[in-house]
Amino acid sequence: MMGHWMGRRALALLVLVGGSLVLGARPPVAPLAEQVNRLLTRWNAEDTFWGVYIADATTGRMLYGHNAQKAFLPASNQKVLTTATALSTLGSTYRYQTELRFDGRVAGTVMRGDFVIDGSGDPTFGSYEMGGGDPLEAWAERLARMGVTRLEGRLIGDDDVFDDRAYPEGWDIDYVTEQAGRYMGVPAGGLSYRDNVVAVRIAATRPGRPPAVSVRPEGAVTIRNDATTSRRWRGSTVQVERTFRGNTIRLTGTVARSYRGITNVPVTNPTTFTLQSFVDRLHDAGIETALTLIDIDDLADEPPTADPLFVSVSPPLRDIIEATNKESNNFYAEQLMRTYGWGGSARGGAARTEALLRRAGVPPGRVEVYDGSGLSRKNMVTPQAMGKLLVHMARDSEREAFMASLPAGGERNTTLDYRLAHIPIRAKTGSLRFVRALSGYVTRPNDNRVVFCIIANNYVGGSYLVTRTIDDIVRTLATTTTR
């Protein structure tokens, strides 16, 4: 009897244990396609034009695709194409060189003749972003230490390393005529300085009066000051406007009576701006000048054969690429594209980028390249083409420099500063009006690395929902190994 009871109890315990095992088991993980499809239809996200491509970074085998061969506006994901081409063409150790040359004679403490600043298209020449100091100031101080007290003759800016088309096709006119951001609407130039922006200093005066406005160097821009100092203690509504290709900027709006600030305005002629700035730095160093400023294109005679005085060398390309991608620096991207482009042109750069894409296995016609930064609304890329390029760069001899240039999840002072922290990704963001994108690499729990390209175009509603959907797709990739 006891044995019979013990048997029934054991059977009951077995059933309970069995039941608890069944109840405690994890449900099977949905396939990757099912998980991504579910995310793409959440929050009415199906109203967005989505493009997604996910592939194994080692084999290139596609794991998921949604509109992967459709053309999308990439926004700053365009910089992936630009920086990859720059590394492939120039190499990560490439450095720009900008020279000050002299053809003339020295009489006591006076140098008289032709002075030439020979540009190389260096985006970092005097750049605020790289923190390398001011080369024009350094040159002026070196001349002063040499005992030079006066320069006379012609100061020539040689910008012929690039063509004279400062703006690519497809940019919104507002990028140039309105102050939309520090590196929005900045012209490219073979001789560039200080990111091709001039600092406009604004200080309040008495209520009802225009604020005080100044620029250095004087004459870099002409200012029409229609702004007003208000009676309030804090705040500013001042706006900066200009006509296309015009050198006059107009200030409107109001500044508070305690206001002091700086707004950076793109210059219209980088070469002239560089020459004006050098004269300004010479005066700061105590050197008098009687110089005629000339763009080399405006010379009536042959360019002088000048000997080098000083040379400024840029950081290596790997550092420039990193600043371009992590900070999404539009000016750097445009300079890079012309540097590797045939003829120093945007079209020559596009041809080089398209050649790299063909080597990555992208058929012709899958990508339209019009600029290096992604501001052009004529750019078009398929998610599959972007994915194939990422696979190609994962095998490239410059892969380490390329991957290091992409922001990590949550990396401070990058475009992923507040996104995807602790997620093992390296990826480039992209954003324009009605465009959000993210492309790069993610490491999955089994240590396999995959490439992904996620682009959203033509959406309505909040951009934050689109961004959150993109991030959730990346989190799905980073936390599961389903196919």
Side-chain angles (χ1 to χ4, degrees), residues 192-236:
S192 294
Y193 170 71
R194 285 292 195 210
D195 307 302
N196 287 350
V197 296
V198 61
V200 179
R201 290 171 171 80
I202 305 171
T205 55
R206 296 195 312 272
R209 301 290 298 169
V213 181
S214 64
V215 298
R216 285 194 68 186
E218 291 185 11
V221 291
T222 302
I223 298 173
R224 177 181 168 185
N225 186 1
D226 292 332
T228 306
T229 303
S230 73
R231 293 186 179 277
R232 70 181 184 278
W233 184 246
R234 292 181 180 178
S236 169

Side-chain angles (χ1 to χ4, degrees), residues 6 16 45 74 118 140 257 265 267 283 316 339 346 383 405 408 438-439 464 476:
M6 288 295 292
L16 288 174
D118 190 1
R257 56 196 172 101
V265 178
V267 300
H283 292 168
T339 300
S405 77
L438 189 67
S439 297
Y464 74 96
T476 298

Side-chain angles (χ1 to χ4, degrees), residues 128-191:
Y128 292 100
E129 294 304 300
M130 301 302 288
D134 184 343
L136 295 184
E137 180 180 348
W139 290 351
E141 291 177 348
R142 286 181 67 180
L143 288 170
R145 288 196 298 270
M146 290 164 57
V148 176
T149 62
R150 183 177 174 86
L151 302 185
E152 297 178 356
R154 300 187 299 182
L155 179 59
I156 301 167
D158 187 347
D159 57 9
D160 280 355
V161 68
F162 289 176
D163 70 3
D164 291 328
R165 299 190 65 176
Y167 304 102
E169 294 183 43
W171 277 17
D172 192 320
I173 190 68
D174 290 346
Y175 297 158
V176 180
T177 59
E178 297 181 4
Q179 188 60 11
R182 182 166 178 175
Y183 299 118
M184 300 283 276
V186 178
L191 178 58

Side-chain angles (χ1 to χ4, degrees), residues 238-284:
V238 70
Q239 299 290 320
V240 180
E241 301 173 352
R242 79 184 325 150
T243 57
F244 183 63
R245 294 189 184 279
N247 200 42
T248 298
I249 65 170
R250 181 186 177 215
L251 303 183
T252 60
T254 63
V255 296
R257 56 196 172 101
S258 64
Y259 181 82
R260 284 182 175 272
I262 296 175
T263 182
N264 291 295
V265 178
V267 300
T268 55
N269 189 320
T271 301
T272 299
F273 174 62
T274 304
L275 300 180
Q276 291 172 327
S277 297
F278 186 43
V279 171
D280 197 56
R281 301 299 180 270
L282 289 167
H283 292 168
D284 286 346

Side-chain angles (χ1 to χ4, degrees), residues 385-452:
M386 183 69 76
K388 285 182 175 292
L389 178 64
L390 291 168
V391 170
H392 177 82
M393 292 306 296
R395 305 166 179 166
D396 192 85
S397 60
E398 296 288 359
R399 60 185 175 275
E400 290 185 9
F402 179 69
M403 297 237 184
S405 77
L406 300 174
E411 184 176 356
R412 296 296 304 275
N413 301 316
T414 73
T415 56
L416 285 180
D417 197 340
Y418 299 103
R419 292 176 62 183
L420 296 166
H422 311 299
I423 301 297
I425 68 164
R426 289 279 183 175
K428 179 72 193 77
T429 58
S431 63
L432 285 174
R433 193 177 184 187
F434 308 128
V435 180
R436 291 294 184 272
L438 189 67
S439 297
Y441 304 88
V442 62
T443 303
R444 308 185 82 183
N446 59 2
D447 289 332
N448 284 348
R449 178 179 287 165
V450 297
V451 303
F452 65 89

Side-chain angles (χ1 to χ4, degrees), residues 14-26:
L14 182 61
V15 171
L16 288 174
V17 172
S20 65
L21 288 173
V22 172
L23 291 173
R26 294 182 179 180

Side-chain angles (χ1 to χ4, degrees), residues 310-450:
F310 310 128
V311 60
S312 173
V313 180
S314 77
L317 186 69
R318 68 168 68 88
D319 294 348
I320 301 173
I321 293 295
E322 185 170 335
T324 303
N325 279 333
K326 290 192 175 183
E327 301 169 28
S328 207
N329 190 307
N330 296 312
F331 170 62
Y332 279 23
E334 294 302 327
Q335 294 288 111
L336 287 171
M337 184 185 193
R338 288 159 179 78
T339 300
Y340 64 70
W342 290 296
S345 68
R347 291 312 305 158
R352 273 273 172 82
T353 298
E354 290 161 0
L356 174 63
L357 288 166
R358 286 194 296 273
R359 293 199 298 275
V362 178
R366 297 296 182 185
V367 174
E368 292 288 339
V369 178
Y370 280 87
D371 74 1
S373 62
L375 292 178
S376 175
R377 288 193 171 267
K378 288 189 174 183
N379 294 322
M380 286 290 158
V381 63
T382 68
Q384 184 182 57
M386 183 69 76
K388 285 182 175 292
L389 178 64
L390 291 168
V391 170
H392 177 82
M393 292 306 296
R395 305 166 179 166
D396 192 85
S397 60
E398 296 288 359
R399 60 185 175 275
E400 290 185 9
F402 179 69
M403 297 237 184
S405 77
L406 300 174
E411 184 176 356
R412 296 296 304 275
N413 301 316
T414 73
T415 56
L416 285 180
D417 197 340
Y418 299 103
R419 292 176 62 183
L420 296 166
H422 311 299
I423 301 297
I425 68 164
R426 289 279 183 175
K428 179 72 193 77
T429 58
S431 63
L432 285 174
R433 193 177 184 187
F434 308 128
V435 180
R436 291 294 184 272
L438 189 67
S439 297
Y441 304 88
V442 62
T443 303
R444 308 185 82 183
N446 59 2
D447 289 332
N448 284 348
R449 178 179 287 165
V450 297

